[in-house]
């Protein structure tokens, strides 16, 4: 096997400090296509890896906790794909400058891409209910969300889910109602009407007319 002749070092002006951390809120761009944003590791949340098209955007993969985004920066190139937070995400900057670090990161990136390809195949094929079940399993992995229980309010928007599983929003809504029913609201305790409150010093009982 031919060894790397020299390490590829990201120019200091193009990479974030090794200790840098970012929070990217739902719907915000973590990396934009064509941006030289450096290499980041997902610590929490989910990002959509996407490419722009004439009709909007095309979802390429989902980046989960532990995944890398901005791998192109290792080659000194701008991002070929954008990354948008599907759920609130926490990112940590990576600063690989040595040959051994580079080999480890590239190996991680290859394994990550293989896993993401299999995940997208399951998210795009088979009955819609099975695609949604697979997505819900991905969103239930450790460190994806702060809460341990999956709640409808924490799910991505119907539009985003429909695009991920390649289905219509109406179909997604119908199937999600069966897979993740909305939590029942807590019973509301009615406050007494003002006219039922006895005035100060009154010792009798108020009776409605």
């Amino acid at each position: 096997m031919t060894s790397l002749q020299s390490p590829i070092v990201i120019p200091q002006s193009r990479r974030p400090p090794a200790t840098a951390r970012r929070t990217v809120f739902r719907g915000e761009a973590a990396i934009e296509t064509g941006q030289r944003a450096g290499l980041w590791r997902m610590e929490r949340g989910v990002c959509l890896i996407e490419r722009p098209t004439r009709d909007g955007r095309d979802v390429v993969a989902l980046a989960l906790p532990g995944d890398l985004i901005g791998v192109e920066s290792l080659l000194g190139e701008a991002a070929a794909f954008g990354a948008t937070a599907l759920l609130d995400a926490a990112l940590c900057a990576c600063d690989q400058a040595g040959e051994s670090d580079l080999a480890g990161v590239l190996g991680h990136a290859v394994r990550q891409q293989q896993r993401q390809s299999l995940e997208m195949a399951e998210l795009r094929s088979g009955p819609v209910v099975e695609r949604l079940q697979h997505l819900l399993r991905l969103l239930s992995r450790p460190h994806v969300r702060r809460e341990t229980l999956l709640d409808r309010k924490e799910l991505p928007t119907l539009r985003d889910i429909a695009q991920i599983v390649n289905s219509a929003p109406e179909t997604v809504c119908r199937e999600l109602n069966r897979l993740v029913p909305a939590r029942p609201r807590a019973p509301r305790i009615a406050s007494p009407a003002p006219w039922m409150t006895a005035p100060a010093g009154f010792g009798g009982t108020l009776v409605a007319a």
Side-chain angles (χ1 to χ4, degrees):
M1 179 181 296
T2 303
S3 60
L4 296 173
Q5 298 300 316
S6 59
I8 299 176
V9 181
I10 308 172
Q12 189 65 37
S13 60
R14 296 179 183 174
R15 65 188 184 202
T19 56
R21 278 179 164 79
R22 299 169 54 198
T23 298
V24 185
F25 295 105
R26 181 194 300 223
E28 294 181 350
I31 294 177
E32 296 183 357
T33 305
Q35 181 184 8
R36 297 182 181 274
L39 182 67
W40 297 84
R41 184 184 300 275
M42 298 280 299
E43 290 189 328
R44 179 175 55 83
V46 182
C47 277
L48 283 177
I49 308 302
E50 55 198 7
R51 64 183 179 89
T53 65
R54 290 183 299 178
D55 299 326
R57 62 179 183 177
D58 183 26
V59 177
V60 177
L62 298 182
L64 303 173
D67 286 346
L68 300 172
I69 59 176
V71 179
E72 300 91 338
S73 63
L74 292 172
L75 306 176
E77 297 178 357
F81 302 101
T84 301
L86 185 66
L87 301 175
D88 293 351
L91 312 178
C92 177
C94 300
D95 186 7
Q96 279 76 24
E99 183 174 324
S100 60
D101 290 338
L102 177 64
V105 170
L106 291 178
H108 181 99
V110 170
R111 291 188 294 272
Q112 171 184 313
Q113 186 179 33
Q114 292 173 335
R115 191 208 78 229
Q116 290 173 330
S117 297
L118 291 174
E119 289 172 350
M120 288 306 298
E122 291 186 287
L123 289 170
R124 292 291 179 90
S125 59
V128 174
V129 64
E130 293 182 3
R131 304 180 212 174
L132 289 171
Q133 287 173 334
H134 183 62
L135 177 61
L136 294 176
R137 284 194 293 269
L138 294 178
L139 299 182
S140 298
R141 288 186 177 180
H143 309 298
V144 168
R145 296 167 294 105
R146 293 186 183 275
E147 300 293 335
T148 55
L149 296 176
L150 191 64
D151 188 88
R152 279 291 294 270
K153 294 185 296 184
E154 284 198 324
L155 291 178
T157 65
L158 286 178
R159 176 178 174 273
D160 285 335
I161 295 177
Q163 188 170 30
I164 292 170
V165 301
N166 195 27
S167 183
E170 297 80 6
T171 304
V172 169
C173 182
R174 183 176 61 252
E175 297 296 345
L176 280 179
N177 285 335
R178 291 190 289 181
L179 293 173
V180 190
R183 292 184 184 178
R185 293 184 178 181
R188 185 176 180 181
I189 302 176
S191 302
W195 59 268
M196 296 182 63
T197 304
F202 180 77
T205 302
L206 291 177
V207 180

